[in-house]
Amino acid sequence: MMKITDQARDLLNQILEYEEAGCLRLFFAGYGCGEPDIGMAIEEPAGDDELRHINSIPVAIDKRIVHLAEQLTIEGKQTMEGPKFQMLGLPEKDC
């Protein structure tokens, strides 16, 4: 089951409030080294996305990558450049 850490949740809530719309969206971003890449953005869900609430964050997941998203943990931290997010739990790529 996908997870969003509490720190990532707090940062995402700030961004979603600032944007006044949308949700966290995970989408198919092409292939890298023969494996699907996952993109992450704040935007409106696409028509065929699966909608979930994870740690109180609305999340839209592209149906093509739902099976990959199941094992993800999204971490976040505040940096001098602004919030930074990282997806953990993706399969290792051989390239």
Side-chain angles (χ1 to χ4, degrees), residues 5-59:
T5 65
D6 289 346
Q7 190 172 9
R9 176 201 61 210
D10 295 344
L11 291 169
L12 287 165
N13 273 329
Q14 290 174 16
I15 293 167
L16 289 168
E17 187 175 305
Y18 178 78
E19 296 289 330
E20 296 181 357
C23 63
L24 177 64
R25 183 166 184 264
L26 302 178
F27 57 91
F28 173 72
Y31 286 96
C33 303
E35 296 290 329
D37 284 331
I38 297 176
M40 184 167 53
I42 301 294
E43 57 188 30
E44 295 297 325
D48 62 344
D49 287 350
E50 186 172 301
L51 301 175
R52 300 182 182 180
H53 273 77
I54 301 168
N55 201 3
S56 79
I57 298 294
V59 180

